[in-house]
Amino acid sequence: MERSDIRGLTETELEELCRSLGKPAFRGRQIFDWVQNKAVGGWREMRNISAEDQKTFQERLFFQPLALKKEQRSQDGTRKYLFQLPDGEAVECVLMNYDRRKHRDRRTVCLSTQVGCPVGCVFCATGQEGFTRNLTVGEILGQALDICRLLRAEDPEFSLTNVVFMGMGEPFLNYDQVIKAIRILNHERGQKIGMRRITVSTSGIAPRILDLARDNDQVGLAVSLHAASDEERDALMPVNRRYPLEELMRACQEYTALTRRRITFEVALTAGQGSKETARRLALLLREQLGHVNLIPINPVAGSGLKRPLTEEVAEFASLLTQAGIPVSIREEKGTDIDAACGQLRQRREES
Ligand code: SAH
Ligand code: SF4
């Protein structure tokens, strides 16, 4: 019989499994607590589950923590992890603000949803890799759980407060797995991360924006916009040919109508692009939207030919956007010294 990944199951699924094995349902709740709340690394740590029960469960469930291949620590408290998956593929994820002195109240993990990415945006290191496969629910959650487990070895009180789906991959092309992972992260007997503290970032898969509004209206949405015209956006993000700006903007409006939540429009700024004209066109495009622009200085990846703007250029463009009537924030870049910033995640395949 095929075995399921213990980390990819909801509490209800574990309870049902227990019932089907003739065991009390609360055993399922105990397992859920060990896996999703206590973030243990294996069966042996589940002290209230007898060895005999464990053996029965192991015939139906496998428990395989992700293998930590590399950890990098930035001066700003950001940490980047490279995890190897059971089939030998690898993903990167990032923990931001792990600096107890400066950030007491926010520990944000940035999760990957795919190995590589099929969208192929020209400015993105992951996109340049091509696409290998979707991550399973257990692998998506495994990143958060293993980071939690590793950090608790240093600090038993450690807990995550926020989750962003902004790592490798396009979350909306792995929709069902991402939604299930979100529900488990939010579960009151799991990591208990509030829906409003979870953000999904998409390159603009318009129909899925509406699905999210219907399925989970409290989850935050970030839309990677990056350009104000189809012509420019086509050149940067091939997904725009499938879902052009008009369709994307319509989906965004419907999203806010359904959820009443503000959208974050991500705009990566390249050196020399921040003109008054660009600001005006963005303002026109976003005129009917409820949301704000989050300005990201582009992180140049090899081969893209794009250049990072100067800090003054970013500030100047931000004030042009403000003058044009768009609320704007500037992204504080994390972990640039360890290539952990937006768009820099890429598993470098080691030559064997
Ligand atoms: N696939 C999703 C989420 C992962 S990318 C998406 O595209 O939204 C997370 C964010 O990083 C996106 O806003 C993306 O556009 C941005 N990004 C990618 N490459 C970048 C780069 N080189 N510099 C700055 N931001 C980048
Ligand atoms: Fe994929 Fe997002 Fe990178 Fe585009 S920016 S290639 S959608 S991960």
Side-chain angles (χ1 to χ4, degrees):
M1 184 177 289
E2 204 174 307
R3 297 191 302 162
S4 310
D5 185 348
I6 195 169
R7 290 173 144 185
L9 298 181
T10 61
E11 191 185 56
T12 310
E13 286 170 331
L14 285 165
E15 285 172 345
E16 277 162 13
L17 177 72
C18 286
R19 272 192 219 103
S20 76
L21 293 169
K23 310 221 176 272
F26 75 84
R27 198 72 79 226
R29 293 198 287 279
Q30 288 173 324
I31 296 179
F32 187 83
D33 177 63
W34 285 115
V35 175
Q36 301 293 347
N37 174 32
K38 299 201 172 76
V40 295
W43 292 100
R44 284 183 181 196
E45 291 169 65
M46 301 186 204
R47 290 188 306 271
N48 56 6
I49 315 283
S50 72
E52 194 193 322
D53 274 357
Q54 290 195 12
K55 223 175 133 228
T56 314
F57 288 124
Q58 282 174 31
E59 283 164 21
R60 305 289 294 275
L61 300 170
F62 69 89
F63 192 154
Q64 194 164 21
L66 305 177
L68 180 65
K69 295 304 266 184
K70 197 168 163 193
E71 182 190 331
Q72 284 172 281
R73 298 182 184 194
S74 159
Q75 289 167 355
D76 67 14
T78 301
R79 296 187 184 193
K80 184 169 83 165
Y81 298 84
L82 177 70
F83 287 117
Q84 189 166 43
L85 308 171
D87 64 354
E89 296 293 342
V91 285
E92 288 181 334
C93 51
V94 178
L95 175 69
M96 287 168 282
N97 297 345
Y98 186 63
D99 181 339
R100 277 306 201 86
R101 285 155 303 174
K102 279 201 221 144
H103 307 277
R104 270 166 213 286
D105 49 358
R106 214 185 237 227
R107 276 109 22 217
T108 304
V109 72
C110 175
L111 301 181
S112 292
T113 54
Q114 299 181 313
V115 180
C117 180
V119 178
C121 303
V122 299
F123 47 79
C124 172
T126 307
Q128 290 181 359
E129 281 252 312
F131 174 65
T132 307
R133 68 171 175 88
N134 280 331
L135 297 188
T136 64
V137 180
E139 289 168 340
I140 295 170
L141 290 170
Q143 301 165 64
L145 295 171
D146 283 319
I147 287 181
C148 205
R149 182 171 59 88
L150 292 165
L151 267 301
R152 280 180 188 165
E154 290 172 31
D155 169 8
E157 302 287 296
F158 178 85
S159 67
L160 294 168
T161 61
N162 294 65
V163 173
V164 295
F165 288 92
M166 293 187 186
M168 299 165 70
E170 168 50 53
F172 282 170
L173 294 180
N174 190 13
Y175 185 82
D176 294 342
Q177 277 68 16
V178 169
I179 292 295
K180 188 173 177 189
I182 287 174
R183 293 201 173 133
I184 295 178
L185 283 168
N186 173 247
H187 197 280
E188 57 178 350
R189 285 180 293 281
Q191 292 289 312
K192 237 199 237 176
I193 299 176
M195 287 295 188
R196 287 171 166 265
R197 291 176 175 262
I198 300 176
T199 301
V200 178
S201 175
T202 180
S203 58
I205 313 294
R208 290 306 197 188
I209 291 177
L210 299 179
D211 289 340
L212 182 74
R214 291 185 199 110
D215 292 343
N216 253 316
D217 63 0
Q218 292 302 298
V219 171
L221 176 69
V223 173
S224 301
L225 191 58
H226 302 322
S229 73
D230 281 324
E231 197 188 353
E232 287 168 286
R233 203 164 183 270
D234 281 350
L236 292 172
M237 310 175 71
V239 68
N240 195 66
R241 283 178 225 137
R242 182 81 180 79
Y243 305 109
L245 280 171
E246 198 191 325
E247 189 175 347
L248 179 58
M249 289 299 114
R250 208 182 317 122
C252 289
Q253 271 182 297
E254 282 180 47
Y255 171 89
T256 39
L258 286 166
T259 63
R260 316 218 156 268
R261 297 217 61 195
R262 287 169 188 278
I263 297 175
T264 303
F265 292 97
E266 291 159 296
V267 174
L269 186 68
T270 309
Q273 291 293 299
S275 67
K276 203 167 183 172
E277 178 56 18
T278 316
R280 197 187 62 81
R281 281 191 291 120
L282 269 173
L284 205 61
L285 183 74
L286 297 177
R287 179 178 59 174
E288 312 274 324
Q289 301 291 342
L290 181 69
H292 82 287
V293 163
N294 187 219
L295 211 50
I296 320 169
I298 199 118
N299 290 303
V301 300
S304 69
L306 301 168
K307 284 211 188 70
R308 193 186 172 88
L310 300 170
T311 313
E312 303 87 79
E313 232 179 309
V314 182
E316 200 178 313
F317 188 57
S319 83
L320 287 174
L321 288 172
T322 311
Q323 284 163 33
I326 309 180
V328 56
S329 60
I330 298 177
R331 176 161 310 172
E332 188 196 337
E333 288 282 33
K334 304 278 183 194
T336 39
D337 53 339
I338 55 168
D339 281 359
C342 267
Q344 293 186 302
L345 300 186
R346 167 184 223 160
Q347 70 181 96
R348 279 174 236 270
R349 276 167 225 265
E350 280 154 46
E351 308 269 318
S352 54

